[in-house]
Amino acid sequence: MLYYYVGFFIPRVLDVRAAKGLGGGYSFGADFYPVWLTSRECLLRRCNLYSTEMTSKIQTGLFGRPLDMGKPNDPPIRYREFAYPAFVDLLFWPANLLQFPAVRMILAFLLPITTAGTVLLWLKALQYEPPLVEKAMFVLLTLCSYQVLEGVFAEQLGLVVGFLLAAAVAALMAEKYRTAGIALAMTTIKPQMVVLVILCVLLWSVTRWRERRGVLFAFAVAESLLCGAAFYVWPDWLRNWIGILFDYRNYSTPPLVTDVFGPRLGPVLGPLLGVALTFTAIRAMWLARHEAAKSIQFLMTVSLALAVTAVAFLPGQAVHDHIVLLPGIVLLVRFWRSIASAGRVLRWMSLLSMAALFWQWVAALLVVIVRPFISAQRFYSPAIFVLPLRLALPFAFALLGVLLLVMRSLEKGALNLSNEV
């Protein structure tokens, strides 16, 4: 998969960008470049992070020129504008002390290490202690998955959020509530990835107030410090950022729940399904609010909230943010035998989800093997070239389906995993 992605996929993407006249800037590290540039330009001068002028500078760095509405191959005119909360620039300000080529090389080294740490933290948080070889397989397959490779190449902060989220849940398990609250506050550098799980943890924390109040207090203090510091530097950042969020919907791909129904039915059925899934996750949170952090009900609820986030909150193209699916994958692997024996439907859904997950590695091997035996024209056809990526998005739905069935079976008492915790 690594050879396919670096040797074939990325060169093809760069060739297509160049053919459209968009290949004159940074591609490797493109998602961190807006953070680096706005921090470098606006931290001392306190200019508007979200202005049209700043967006034009970002586009020049990424594409070699500002985007032009008159060019049919160009993305929308506001594409690649700075879309993070302003405090992101404060957190990552040391990066602006270096030139961007040096920054992206450092991140190319640090992000895989961070992601490996994310895997190990989830294994610890979910109380799964496989043999060392199996741990190494978890790390290797995660690092060489299409989702993570996309995040590392773009140098996406979503991988940092994944680490902080795993650290927060691990801290909850260890009853280090203040640490958990601080880590949760830090995850709001990409709030769309964590809004449901933050709601879950805060609801859980207020249920037994005397015991768990440290989570809410630490979260509130840390979040206030982040936002307050940003207000000190950029008094109007929140209003400008909210405007960017509304504008972002005009050029980003819709969530998977909308995209799956197509352009006609998607805008109608997608939001309805998204609302239904969100209320399902909130209901699960309510039922699990009294459970201990180490209980299977709480862990399944967190995994369900993150799976719903992946299909209902994240843009469809944001596969790099699917790092939030890791706890669901770990739980499925850990309780594989019990889940597979809980009924025919659940068994087949589990098998389908695992097949969708492993498809990328099997298909990448096949594509690399057949490359010397077919012409370049046929190799780069959609039927063959993107074969390893075909099930990256359906996998999120498959895993969500398994988690929903598991939660239903747990409620009905048809499945008992508590004796395995």
Side-chain angles (χ1 to χ4, degrees), residues 94-290:
N96 73 47
L97 302 177
L98 301 174
Q99 295 298 316
F100 187 68
V103 170
R104 65 178 184 174
M105 293 306 296
I106 293 172
L107 288 178
F109 175 75
L110 293 179
L111 286 177
I113 295 176
T114 300
T115 305
T118 302
V119 177
L120 297 178
L121 278 172
W122 276 124
L123 291 175
K124 179 180 180 180
L126 301 175
Q127 305 167 75
Y128 185 38
E129 286 293 334
L132 182 60
V133 173
E134 192 171 332
K135 282 186 179 181
M137 289 176 61
F138 259 108
V139 172
L140 180 63
L141 291 176
T142 301
L143 291 176
C144 293
S145 65
Y146 168 59
Q147 294 86 341
V148 170
L149 289 173
E150 280 282 273
V152 172
F153 181 78
E155 298 188 336
Q156 244 290 329
L157 291 183
L159 297 180
V160 179
V161 172
F163 175 82
L164 292 169
L165 187 58
V169 177
L172 286 179
M173 303 289 290
E175 298 185 356
K176 297 179 180 179
Y177 295 143
R178 293 178 182 176
T179 302
I182 293 171
L184 275 180
M186 299 287 283
T187 65
T188 58
I189 59 177
K190 291 197 71 172
Q192 70 272 25
M193 289 180 63
V194 293
V195 57
L196 274 183
V197 77
I198 286 178
L199 176 62
C200 174
V201 173
L202 294 185
L203 176 62
W204 177 85
S205 69
V206 299
T207 302
R208 295 185 178 178
W209 178 247
R210 291 185 179 180
E211 177 186 346
R212 304 169 179 171
R213 59 188 177 185
V215 179
L216 180 57
F217 281 150
F219 175 83
V221 170
E223 193 68 30
S224 297
L225 289 174
L226 290 172
C227 293
F231 277 121
Y232 178 77
V233 181
W234 300 286
D236 295 329
W237 77 267
L238 183 59
R239 176 174 57 84
N240 294 328
W241 179 57
I242 292 174
I244 289 293
L245 295 183
F246 282 102
D247 191 44
Y248 185 74
R249 299 178 302 173
N250 296 326
Y251 61 82
S252 67
T253 56
L256 294 180
V257 289
T258 298
D259 208 29
V260 72
F261 291 111
R264 291 187 177 181
L265 297 178
V268 177
L269 298 181
L272 293 177
L273 179 58
V275 170
L277 289 172
T278 301
F279 274 106
T280 300
I282 293 174
R283 178 179 177 273
M285 297 173 198
W286 182 258
L287 295 176
R289 69 191 188 280
H290 291 291

Side-chain angles (χ1 to χ4, degrees), residues 297-321:
Q297 289 81 4
F298 180 78
L299 297 175
M300 280 290 180
T301 299
V302 169
S303 301
L304 177 65
L306 292 172
V308 171
T309 298
V311 302
F313 285 75
L314 301 178
Q317 88 279 7
V319 293
H320 41 69
D321 290 341

Side-chain angles (χ1 to χ4, degrees), residues 338-405:
S338 297
I339 291 174
S341 62
R344 183 178 300 177
V345 175
L346 191 50
R347 179 168 62 253
W348 280 105
M349 278 295 297
S350 300
L351 288 172
L352 287 174
S353 65
M354 295 304 287
L357 175 62
F358 278 89
W359 168 261
Q360 58 180 310
W361 298 299
V362 176
L365 177 62
L366 295 175
V367 169
V368 170
I369 289 175
V370 303
R371 174 63 188 96
F373 303 102
I374 59 177
S375 64
Q377 182 178 3
R378 187 174 183 184
F379 176 76
Y380 287 110
S381 65
I384 295 178
F385 183 63
V386 296
L387 202 60
L389 317 181
R390 290 290 187 187
L391 298 185
L393 299 181
F395 167 69
F397 282 105
L399 181 63
L400 174 59
V402 172
L403 293 175
L404 287 171
L405 289 173

